[in-house]
Amino acid sequence: MSQVTMTVNGKEMSGDAEGRTLLSQFLRETLGLTGTHVGCDTSQCGACVVHVDGVAVKSCTMLAMEAEGASVDTIEGQAAQDGTLNALQQAFQDHHGLQCGFCTPGMIMSAADLLKSNPNPTEAEVRHHLEGNICRCTGYHNIVKAIMAASGQDVSSIAAE
Amino acid sequence: MYNFDFEKPSTIADAVSALGTEDAQALGGGQTLLPTMKQRLASPSKLVSLKGIAEMQGICTGDDGALCIGGATTHADVAAGAGAYAGLAGLAAGIGDPAVRARGTIGGSLANNDPAACYPAGALASGATIVTNAREIAADDYFQGMFTTALDEGEIITEVRFPVPEASNYQKFEQPASRFALVGVFVAKFADGVRVAVTGASEDGVFRWSEAEAALSGNFSADAIVDMAPGADGMISDLHGTAAYRAHLVGVLTRRAVAAALSLPT
Amino acid sequence: MPKDSGIGASPKRREDVRFLSGTGNYTDDIQVTGQAYVHFLRSDVAHAKINGLNLDAASAMPGVVKIFTGADFEGVGGIPCGWQVTDRHGEPMQEPAHPVLAQGKVRYVGDQIAAVVAETLEQARDAAEAIEVDLEELPAVVDMKAALAEGATKVHDDLTSNLCYDWGFVEENKPAVDAAFEAAAHVTTLELRNNRLVANPMEPRVAIGDFNRATGESTLYTTSQNPHVIRLLMGAFVLGIPEHKLRVVAPDVGGGFGTKIFHYAEEAFCTFAAKALNRPVKWTSTRSEAFISDAHGRDHVTKIELALDADNNFTALRTDTYANMGAYLSTFAPSVPTWLHGTLMAGNYKTPLIYVNVKAVFTNTVPVDAYRGAGRPEATYQLERVIDKAARELGVDPIALRRQNFITEFPYATPVAVEYDTGDYHGTMDALEKMADLSGFEARRKESEARGKLRGFGVNCYIEACGIAPSNLVGQLGARAGLYESATVRVNATGGIVVMTGSHSHGQGHETSFPQVIAEMIGIDESMVEIEHGDTANTPMGMGTYGSRSIAVGGSAMVRATEKIIAKAKKIAAHLMEAAEADIELKDGAFSVAGTDKSVAWGDVTLAAYVPHNYPLEDIEPGLEETAFYDPANFTYPSGAYACEVEVDPDTGKVTIEAFNAADDFGNIINPMIVDGQVHGGIGQGIGQALLENAAYDENGQLLSASYMDYAMPRASDVPFYGVDHSSQTPCTHNPLGVKGCGEAGAIGSPPAVVNAVVDALRSGGHDIHHIDMPVSPSRVWQAMNG
Ligand SMILES: Cc1cc2nc3c(=O)[nH]c(=O)nc-3n(C[C@H](O)[C@H](O)[C@H](O)COP(=O)(O)OP(=O)(O)OC[C@H]3O[C@@H](n4cnc5c(N)ncnc54)[C@H](O)[C@@H]3O)c2cc1C
Ligand code: FES
Ligand code: FES
């Protein structure tokens, strides 16, 4: 065991980790930040996506020790201090972009990553960017719509609310 | 996962010496190694991260015009930074998903030499040179069958040098589940001839399709290889496609790659 | 003008706030102080005798608390099956024992051999690797027809064969059906497979057992769609714990789709071990483990025949199905290919004579049970595929052939024992034709052809029976449980309401839609109503969520309880206003006396109920809390028409979905936004089944698609935006809300539309193809085109 320190959602946090401790495990079990989910063991579902130094990564496929000294952003840090949802979160609620909520943290973190580099994505770009995020509930319709809406696009003509 | 020690050296020399420990293994982006370890299919005593080594990062152009990519450069960085070699940038942009591309590295992909991986096709078709801490290996000598390469124990890929062709393109037909290449074809047209490398298809891993190379070197157009496909012998047959289907796809994708190479910049 | 609250409005979902901010409470998020971890050693062969287990080395490994094997469970009950099917000859099905941990034999890859409890999960895994297992491999039976062949290896030695049951429905109709085929002007025959699927809710299953020695109470936290059912099955049949000593909690659950209905061995194990070890025991499934331990779905092999007269009227239908049960009977497995499948074979059509035969077969594979739609997708798929084939053989328009045979008069008693209360099949088809822009199809096809692609259009209808269901009826059909639902409505002194429902939400949004109903009934703001579900300690006994039953059955229970509340509140209001009870009206959250301007607010009445100073104590008790159990009179029968437009790349065989439209009739709709979402999700899964998903076994019983590397899950790029319409609404006649249920429609209605469209595309390219089995993968399409 050794100590790992990182800045999580703007706060410096430390905890013990083994070599094999995954970042997802460290966040969930050591720091108690259970908003980051684990939905697979082959690095494919994206429920675990967080940002490390501003870049979206699968926290189940990164060692906690690799994040030593890094700045890590998770779903818990997305809303304002008073709990007000950010624009992307709000768009997911407005457009029913989630059902069971299990894929949602990863979806939000991946979508935020997209909007940072592409503030006005097309439908195809959104779908392509979500290649590594699986949702079993929504059929993706409202997720794609929510992301486009969050980018300020008019989604009212997209079939059915 | 079995437990292991973790080290993150900042020079190639330190990494090489850290890898001297028995059963130590290099860790690139971990996008292949960590899932493998979760299945308990690998049990290194120590992982040596290459991510802290500045000299293994980034892309530059060599004196001979070749594109030099540091062994620990991520797929995302190649996708964004290899504009001088659009075919290769396109290949990198199509690997996995954004989070995988943010971590996975060219060195890791080439060292792993998954029979369905994309980079091996790019490196082989380009006639790239794999530079390690110890030597330089020509791509033609480097790939030695599924998951097998010329690398020695503890040897690390520090750089990969790609001669830049006049025209090139990579066509990937995705396996529906993993989204790796069910078949991928990289076509590179150089002044002195055309190279065609195929991934995903063969039981022997990435290979050059010499028949198509010969035809295309004489006439670089899809018409030169109409109806041409490699034999189905030795092709992979599995849940996602028979050997005959894969052989057929090689022909289709090669024609598409040629057509795209002709209509797009290098 | 859309409403902004109450029934028919689409308020934003309140549960979203916690899910969007990472503060949901899923089972794996729960850490019970002192918990140990269990890892199950699972069989890696499909069929073997366990000759010996040597635990010595493993038990001595660091951190090991105890290793359990089948021997530890000898005095314990097996995992029960909740449904008994009676076969064609009046005999009960063959029902094998289903031990918590394997006893003597393993019967599928994934079967639990031993359970290692240790201080950490990795220690448990380490020790599991050190267990020496002496397995004597036996031949595996995988193919269903081979499993029934003379002399086939038996999955269960104590059964007479691998046949679970041979079911005929309706057996008495068989001679008449056969005669109708003799007399038919045209017979269309189709053989097909409904591919085996893995449900894959994104949250893997988790179980945590806890035991309190001081109270003798066991608690199980589990990822369940129906905690009360688990409490009953596990308590009564497996572990012998009475309900008052057993609490089952299913907190936020990350999707279910059927596979979290069933009672699993891991749940019983954790509950049992927590008591045996006097400490909490936690199990979290990995995805790899889920593939070989969650019950699978579908897996039917069918031959269907449709008889038509000279005017293209359907005269008879005959089917012959082999249904895979896997190695053991999962909780509701026997009901899926029978009562949830045979009773739906009439579909939307007035076919007068139907005979369904189903042989359920044991194989050395993971148990198969209900997956979204359960039986109804299998029925719909074969029926809608054979109708399409008939239309092509006869050279008639597939939509016209369907319309010609639609049932138009309701109620309608089918020849397969159910009575449809309402429906408007032309109505949904009209809506569909409008949405799908049929008239523009030829132009779109030409445009595709200009790009070297083939374009196809496929349509189908569906009917489902949901809102499961009348207890007396299902009891006659073999259910070993009732299928009512319950609700307790607790009104607090200041007027706020808490509803405790036996229903369960794992994505369906009960916390939002249920309050809409109560708010509408009383005329108060939805924010005054809170829903509690998922904990047997504070909810009345209920049967949970599946079979699209939450709003139809659970919602109806809540309505009944609320009606009782309103009746009592009116008595109180009458007293307060010194008026006759019969004159009291409730509107917009206030009670008034008809014809006067006298009124009291909702809050005044609720306060009076709990501060009964001025109160009719001689007539009624203080307090305002009511419970209702609702048992429906019939199933509900949602229906619809779906259309899919595909493009096929003839060079690679790749199919892309260009458009997907769905017109559904769900009766009345409480929350259109949530209903649309349910349809979208169902269509996504249906497209997944049609194009991508396949749980394939090799001949040795190894699951070939045992992870997302080989089991193709639909991604965002595989699907388009969907068109949905539910303007056609024929309310259910026998539940108080007039609702029909919408959770499974999409998954039932979409696969045939996709396959019909692919066949249409290929035929437009000159390929004489009538069928391709799902998943219609690129390689299969290419194979079909190239012989
Ligand atoms: C969801 C998902 C989708 C993917 N899709 C694709 C795809 O479409 N196409 C594709 O090609 N790949 C795909 N991959 C694989 C991905 O590209 C990996 O990044 C790559 O194969 C391995 O690179 P890595 O840096 O992550 O290596 P690691 O996983 O860290 O290591 C892999 C192996 O290489 C060794 N190694 C690492 N770096 C070096 C080095 N510099 N020198 C010598 N040895 C080294 C390691 O010891 C290990 O044996 C996918 C992966 C995932 C998780
Ligand atoms: S949990 Fe990380 S990708 Fe699935
Ligand atoms: S909302 Fe349930 S998996 Fe996406």
Side-chain angles (χ1 to χ4, degrees):
Chain A
M1 287 278 186
S2 44
Q3 227 199 17
V4 177
T5 303
M6 56 189 85
T7 305
V8 182
N9 299 324
K11 269 197 283 226
E12 190 172 293
M13 294 187 165
S14 310
D16 286 336
E18 292 184 307
R20 63 181 164 184
T21 306
L22 299 166
L23 179 57
S24 53
Q25 239 175 324
F26 185 77
L27 291 169
R28 287 181 56 79
E29 292 168 23
T30 311
L31 302 183
L33 294 171
T34 54
T36 297
H37 294 157
V38 175
C40 76
D41 48 4
T42 49
S43 308
Q44 286 169 293
C45 76
C48 63
V49 169
V50 301
H51 296 181
V52 174
D53 292 330
V55 176
V57 304
K58 291 177 170 170
S59 63
C60 74
T61 316
M62 181 168 176
L63 302 173
M65 286 185 181
E66 290 184 279
E68 168 71 41
S71 165
V72 177
D73 291 302
T74 71
I75 188 69
E76 285 91 346
Q78 298 301 296
Q81 287 289 331
D82 67 356
T84 308
L85 302 179
N86 72 19
L88 184 57
Q89 292 169 307
Q90 191 56 56
F92 267 65
Q93 188 187 28
D94 291 347
H95 298 280
H96 191 27
L98 64 154
Q99 291 183 23
C100 79
F102 198 79
C103 72
T104 309
M107 286 288 177
I108 293 281
M109 299 312 285
S110 281
D113 182 57
L114 169 68
L115 295 182
K116 220 166 12 176
S117 60
N118 184 354
N120 210 21
T122 63
E123 178 196 343
E125 286 168 340
V126 173
R127 292 187 186 276
H128 180 66
H129 194 87
L130 297 180
E131 200 59 25
N133 290 83
I134 303 177
C135 174
R136 193 54 152 170
C137 294
T138 63
Y140 301 101
H141 183 109
N142 285 335
I143 291 178
V144 177
K145 192 170 163 183
I147 295 170
M148 294 178 72
S151 75
Q153 304 184 57
D154 179 6
V155 294
S156 56
S157 63
I158 293 169
E161 187 87 39
Chain B
M1 272 193 234
Y2 300 104
N3 208 5
F4 52 83
D5 295 330
F6 177 77
E7 268 187 58
K8 195 172 175 185
S10 53
T11 66
I12 294 173
D14 287 350
V16 170
S17 95
L19 284 168
T21 319
E22 197 175 334
D23 291 333
Q25 200 171 347
L27 178 67
Q31 302 301 294
T32 294
L33 187 52
L34 294 179
T36 309
M37 289 173 63
K38 284 188 208 173
Q39 305 296 324
R40 295 192 158 212
L41 297 174
S43 53
S45 62
K46 184 202 283 181
L47 285 189
V48 180
S49 169
L50 306 177
K51 289 251 170 187
I53 305 172
E55 51 189 316
M56 282 177 63
Q57 298 279 352
I59 303 169
C60 64
T61 306
D63 297 340
D64 56 355
L67 196 72
C68 308
I69 302 179
T73 308
T74 62
H75 309 330
D77 286 342
V78 175
Y85 189 170
L88 193 69
L91 174 150
I95 294 176
D97 57 64
V100 167
R101 294 194 289 275
R103 297 289 305 163
T105 67
I106 186 169
S109 179
L110 291 174
N112 193 52
N113 192 20
D114 187 302
C118 302
Y119 265 126
L124 187 58
S126 307
T129 303
I130 319 294
V131 183
T132 76
N133 56 300
R135 57 192 167 134
E136 298 188 355
I137 312 170
D140 283 316
D141 303 324
Y142 176 83
F143 300 103
Q144 304 188 341
M146 283 195 188
F147 299 109
T148 314
T149 71
L151 289 180
D152 289 330
E153 193 91 343
E155 189 171 3
I156 39 186
I157 299 174
T158 55
E159 187 180 275
V160 189
R161 282 190 210 133
F162 291 89
V164 179
E166 292 168 358
S168 68
N169 186 259
Y170 178 62
Q171 291 285 320
K172 172 185 181 187
F173 191 82
E174 287 178 356
Q175 192 258 55
S178 72
R179 318 269 159 150
F180 276 65
L182 184 72
V183 174
V185 177
F186 199 108
V187 170
K189 177 183 184 295
F190 292 92
D192 59 353
V194 176
R195 291 171 69 105
V196 177
V198 180
T199 189
S202 166
E203 288 173 344
D204 295 327
V206 67
F207 71 95
R208 282 176 65 184
W209 184 19
S210 40
E211 206 187 342
E213 290 184 350
L216 289 168
S217 294
N219 171 14
F220 191 68
S221 85
D223 292 342
I225 49 170
V226 181
D227 291 335
M228 201 189 266
D233 271 2
M235 294 285 171
I236 298 169
S237 225
D238 64 13
L239 195 57
H240 307 288
T242 59
Y245 179 58
R246 279 186 166 83
H248 165 77
L249 281 183
V250 173
V252 172
L253 297 178
T254 307
R255 286 186 286 280
R256 288 184 181 179
V258 171
L262 284 168
S263 67
L264 299 168
T266 357
Chain C
M1 181 67 194
K3 296 171 70 176
D4 56 11
S5 72
I7 292 175
S10 294
K12 292 169 194 171
R13 292 201 330 167
R14 47 177 82 175
E15 41 273 86
D16 290 358
V17 176
R18 66 177 188 275
F19 296 149
L20 283 163
S21 47
T23 52
N25 183 36
Y26 298 87
T27 311
D28 192 50
D29 299 344
I30 298 170
Q31 312 273 355
V32 186
T33 310
Q35 72 194 13
Y37 296 82
V38 60
H39 174 77
F40 292 94
L41 175 67
R42 297 181 183 276
S43 177
D44 56 5
V45 298
H47 196 191
K49 238 167 81 187
I50 305 174
N51 282 336
L53 280 176
N54 184 342
L55 308 179
D56 294 348
S59 300
M61 302 268 292
V64 173
V65 178
K66 184 175 160 71
I67 302 176
F68 293 82
T69 67
D72 295 293
F73 284 82
E74 264 159 19
V76 178
I79 304 296
C81 176
W83 203 295
Q84 185 183 72
V85 165
T86 303
D87 78 4
R88 293 171 61 188
H89 315 291
E91 297 296 319
M93 67 189 189
Q94 296 208 74
E95 190 171 355
H98 187 178
V100 174
L101 294 177
Q103 292 183 347
K105 240 184 166 192
V106 287
R107 295 188 172 85
Y108 63 95
V109 172
D111 210 352
Q112 300 95 313
I113 298 172
V116 183
V117 180
E119 298 296 336
T120 72
L121 183 57
E122 293 294 350
Q123 286 172 334
R125 290 190 68 174
D126 289 341
E129 284 179 5
I131 296 175
E132 292 167 32
V133 194
D134 179 3
L135 290 182
E136 179 183 331
E137 234 185 298
L138 302 168
V141 282
V142 179
D143 178 76
M144 286 190 275
K145 290 182 186 168
L148 295 183
E150 195 70 36
T153 304
K154 284 195 285 182
V155 178
H156 296 276
D157 300 320
D158 51 339
L159 303 186
T160 58
S161 70
N162 292 319
L163 182 67
C164 177
Y165 54 73
D166 178 2
W167 185 76
F169 189 67
V170 175
E171 195 60 30
E172 298 75 63
N173 291 352
K174 192 171 188 305
V177 171
D178 291 344
F181 271 91
E182 293 293 321
H186 183 86
V187 174
T188 297
T189 304
L190 187 59
E191 294 189 36
L192 47 82
R193 170 172 214 121
N194 202 291
N195 41 329
R196 182 187 272 246
L197 303 177
V198 182
N200 273 303
M202 291 320 296
E203 177 202 33
R205 287 189 297 121
V206 181
I208 310 171
D210 195 6
F211 180 67
N212 182 332
R213 227 178 225 178
T215 62
E217 194 185 271
S218 292
T219 302
L220 171 69
Y221 301 90
T222 183
T223 47
S224 176
Q225 300 175 217
N226 38 215
H228 283 282
V229 174
I230 303 303
R231 185 179 64 164
L232 179 64
L233 289 177
M234 184 174 82
F237 298 99
V238 191
L239 301 178
I241 310 173
E243 286 97 320
H244 66 288
K245 290 293 181 195
L246 178 58
R247 175 180 169 205
V248 178
V249 186
D252 286 330
V253 173
F257 315 114
T259 205
K260 289 177 183 167
I261 298 172
F262 322 124
H263 175 42
Y264 287 96
E266 294 88 354
E267 295 169 323
F269 176 83
C270 289
T271 310
F272 176 87
K275 186 169 179 181
L277 300 171
N278 193 32
R279 69 183 285 191
V281 175
K282 180 172 187 173
W283 172 70
T284 302
S285 175
T286 62
R287 181 61 59 187
S288 299
E289 221 176 346
F291 270 98
I292 52 169
S293 67
D294 289 4
H296 292 178
R298 316 277 195 259
D299 207 355
H300 287 192
V301 172
T302 293
K303 177 179 173 193
I304 180 167
E305 298 164 284
L306 176 66
L308 301 95
D309 67 16
D311 299 322
N312 297 341
N313 297 310
F314 303 164
T315 56
L317 188 75
R318 189 162 60 189
T319 75
D320 192 0
T321 286
Y322 293 79
N324 208 331
M325 295 286 104
Y328 298 100
L329 291 178
S330 173
T331 310
F332 289 122
S335 68
V336 175
T338 51
W339 301 108
L340 295 177
H341 163 253
T343 52
L344 272 301
M345 281 315 310
N348 309 52
Y349 311 101
K350 48 189 188 222
T351 317
L353 288 161
I354 298 176
Y355 178 73
V356 177
N357 180 264
V358 177
K359 295 178 187 69
V361 186
F362 293 110
T363 59
N364 291 112
T365 62
V366 171
V368 181
D369 204 328
Y371 165 62
R372 200 172 197 169
R376 290 149 292 173
E378 295 90 324
T380 305
Y381 180 66
Q382 51 182 289
L383 181 60
E384 295 293 326
R385 287 287 304 116
V386 83
I387 292 173
D388 241 51
K389 186 177 177 197
R392 294 206 171 88
E393 286 175 350
L394 295 166
V396 297
D397 174 51
I399 295 179
L401 182 62
R402 286 179 168 87
R403 284 190 183 268
Q404 173 185 346
N405 285 282
F406 274 162
I407 295 162
T408 51
E409 279 165 34
F410 297 89
Y412 177 82
T414 73
V416 274
V418 290
E419 184 176 287
Y420 303 161
D421 56 347
T422 55
D424 178 6
Y425 307 149
H426 285 293
T428 48
M429 186 60 93
D430 291 344
L432 181 76
E433 288 197 33
K434 224 164 46 207
M435 259 196 298
D437 182 22
L438 258 178
S439 55
F441 176 72
E442 274 315 315
R444 295 194 292 278
R445 171 172 273 172
K446 290 228 161 61
E447 191 274 329
S448 295
E449 284 169 354
R451 284 182 289 107
K453 301 290 195 312
L454 302 174
R455 201 174 185 100
F457 182 83
V459 70
N460 72 271
C461 301
Y462 78 89
I463 172 97
E464 61 165 322
C466 59
I468 290 175
S471 293
N472 58 1
L473 175 66
V474 297
Q476 286 165 27
L477 305 182
R480 290 163 170 165
L483 282 172
Y484 51 84
E485 198 45 82
S486 63
T488 296
V489 175
R490 176 179 295 160
V491 183
N492 293 314
T494 59
I497 296 175
V498 181
V499 181
M500 285 140 291
T501 170
S503 186
H504 188 274
S505 180
H506 33 277
Q508 296 86 347
H510 293 17
E511 293 167 36
T512 304
S513 58
F514 278 34
Q516 290 178 249
V517 174
I518 296 205
E520 173 98 16
M521 290 176 75
I522 301 178
I524 53 175
D525 202 79
E526 281 149 21
S527 63
M528 290 177 69
V529 187
E530 214 56 56
I531 305 298
E532 287 189 5
H533 61 92
D535 186 344
T536 60
N538 63 10
T539 55
M541 171 80 176
M543 301 310 290
T545 291
Y546 42 84
S548 307
R549 67 193 301 278
S550 284
I551 202 73
V553 193
S556 296
M558 183 179 65
V559 169
R560 290 279 185 257
T562 307
E563 286 167 355
K564 293 191 203 176
I565 293 279
I566 292 171
K568 183 171 178 183
K570 281 186 173 172
K571 284 201 172 86
I572 302 169
H575 178 90
L576 291 176
M577 293 186 282
E578 298 176 337
E581 197 189 315
D583 293 337
I584 305 296
E585 290 170 353
L586 170 60
K587 194 164 177 271
D588 296 334
F591 296 90
S592 55
V593 181
T596 74
D597 57 1
K598 273 204 252 178
S599 90
V600 285
W602 169 252
D604 295 330
V605 172
T606 61
L607 190 66
Y610 289 95
V611 188
H613 296 163
N614 172 19
Y615 195 84
L617 281 167
E618 55 290 350
D619 291 336
I620 49 174
E621 295 167 6
L624 204 48
E625 172 166 333
E626 298 288 348
T627 294
F629 286 77
Y630 176 81
D631 207 315
N634 191 353
F635 293 88
T636 62
Y637 299 95
S639 62
Y642 283 23
C644 178
E645 210 165 303
V646 299
E647 205 170 75
V648 178
D649 178 347
D651 291 338
T652 63
K654 189 170 166 61
V655 176
T656 42
I657 309 270
E658 296 297 321
F660 201 102
N661 288 293
D664 296 286
D665 173 2
F666 295 132
N668 293 337
I669 286 173
I670 309 297
N671 184 320
M673 173 191 83
I674 288 177
V675 167
D676 286 353
Q678 290 293 309
V679 175
H680 295 157
I683 294 173
Q685 290 181 347
I687 291 175
Q689 165 160 35
L691 292 187
L692 296 162
E693 301 178 39
N694 189 20
Y697 279 92
D698 73 8
E699 68 278 9
N700 299 317
Q702 292 292 337
L703 182 61
L704 296 173
S705 38
S707 80
Y708 292 153
M709 293 300 283
D710 289 297
Y711 189 91
M713 291 286 279
R715 314 292 214 280
S717 58
D718 296 318
V719 294
F721 282 126
Y722 318 111
V724 298
D725 172 283
H726 25 71
S727 56
S728 173
Q729 295 184 0
T730 59
C732 168
T733 54
H734 58 79
N735 66 40
L737 290 166
V739 295
K740 291 184 169 180
C742 64
E744 295 161 297
I748 296 170
S750 51
V754 177
V755 179
N756 288 347
V758 173
V759 170
D760 183 54
L762 296 183
R763 293 185 70 85
S764 80
H767 301 278
D768 185 22
I769 288 164
H770 274 295
H771 181 68
I772 303 179
D773 265 334
M774 301 187 290
V776 183
S777 62
S779 71
R780 283 191 182 167
V781 173
W782 182 79
Q783 211 79 45
M785 285 188 300
N786 293 279

